[in-house]
Amino acid sequence: MKKITSIIALLALGTASIFAREVTISVGVGESWKGRHGPQFAIWLEDTEGNYISTLYATKKASKKSWIFAPKEGRPESLPVWYHASKQDPRKGKEAKKANAALELDAVTSATPKGGIVFNSEIPDSKCLIKAEFNVSFDYNEFYTKENSTDNGQPSLVYAAVISESESEEVKLAYTGTGSLDGSDGKIYTDTQGLTTATSIVKLTTVSFPKE
């Protein structure tokens, strides 16, 4: 029985690799990228029904919850859409790490790049949705102040694009809204009132398909 189960598992892995497409994802630096606090961000996939598939990239602080001076509750407001989509526990501590272990984020996690990033990944060979969420801590302005917006300042910004099954041309992610200001939910809010420097954290995020 164990041998049969192993064979089935190997066949499943082989089938999965056949129906995966290699892509190159590029994140371009915006004017507000190189501030005192580097941006935290995550890029992930969802199916056409909005169900989480996998994370393609995440910055270390956001993934490890290694926030300096953060409370035990962590910083759920930093990347709330990603945290809720992937059903992560944003808290600091061993219990949260254990709960998040199944997501296997270590392989796609690194420190915030200073000059943008270009990396290769794989996506399903079917229609899917790619999302990217960016945030800079303490990004205050006249509308989002220390008094009304916790450590965030301006909320996270979310970009997204649909990738069709037969897509071969470069896909550009478009702005879709902001994350929850306090991290209490994973909704995307379309109100752009009060946003200033947050809109120029990233210049452009694209998905391209290497030519065979």
Side-chain angles (χ1 to χ4, degrees):
M1 179 62 75
K2 288 184 177 180
K3 179 181 277 188
I4 294 175
T5 302
S6 300
I7 293 173
I8 292 174
L10 288 171
L11 288 173
L13 286 172
T15 303
S17 62
I18 291 173
F19 292 103
R21 291 179 290 171
E22 183 179 347
V23 294
T24 299
I25 299 173
S26 304
V27 178
V29 171
E31 293 179 3
S32 301
W33 183 285
K34 297 181 179 180
R36 180 181 176 184
H37 303 280
Q40 302 304 317
F41 63 97
I43 302 172
W44 72 99
L45 296 173
E46 296 180 2
D47 64 22
T48 54
E49 302 298 320
N51 299 303
Y52 173 83
I53 297 175
S54 64
T55 295
L56 305 181
Y57 182 88
T59 48
K60 188 174 182 179
K61 282 186 179 180
S63 176
K64 301 291 187 180
K65 287 70 177 182
S66 55
W67 309 103
I68 299 176
F69 304 124
K72 290 182 179 179
E73 293 75 22
R75 292 283 313 284
E77 75 281 2
S78 58
L79 300 175
V81 180
W82 176 55
Y83 283 146
H84 280 82
S86 56
K87 294 181 172 57
Q88 289 187 63
D89 187 336
R91 296 176 299 167
K92 299 173 67 175
K94 294 182 180 180
E95 290 185 7
K97 287 183 179 180
K98 188 181 295 184
N100 295 331
L103 294 171
E104 300 180 345
L105 297 177
D106 288 351
V108 294
T109 295
S110 73
T112 299
K114 295 183 178 180
I117 187 171
V118 177
F119 65 95
N120 294 326
S121 189
E122 287 190 341
I123 65 172
D125 194 19
S126 58
K127 188 175 182 180
C128 61
L129 183 66
I130 183 168
K131 289 183 178 179
E133 185 173 22
F134 299 84
N135 179 260
V136 173
S137 298
F138 313 112
D139 194 10
Y140 301 115
N141 60 20
E142 293 183 357
F143 190 89
Y144 292 101
T145 66
K146 291 182 179 180
E147 289 72 30
N148 68 19
S149 59
T150 65
D151 291 339
N152 242 19
Q154 297 170 72
S156 64
L157 267 65
V158 183
Y159 300 79
V162 175
I163 302 177
S164 66
E165 184 175 0
S166 57
E167 192 69 66
S168 60
E169 301 298 322
E170 182 179 78
V171 174
K172 298 178 180 179
L173 276 68
Y175 170 74
T176 59
T178 66
S180 168
L181 193 60
D182 62 1
S184 59
D185 61 56
K187 297 177 182 178
I188 297 177
Y189 296 85
T190 56
D191 184 10
T192 59
Q193 184 180 12
L195 296 177
T196 54
T197 51
T199 62
S200 58
I201 295 172
V202 59
K203 187 174 182 179
L204 183 65
T205 301
T206 63
V207 180
S208 58
F209 300 82
K211 303 297 182 183
E212 296 183 357

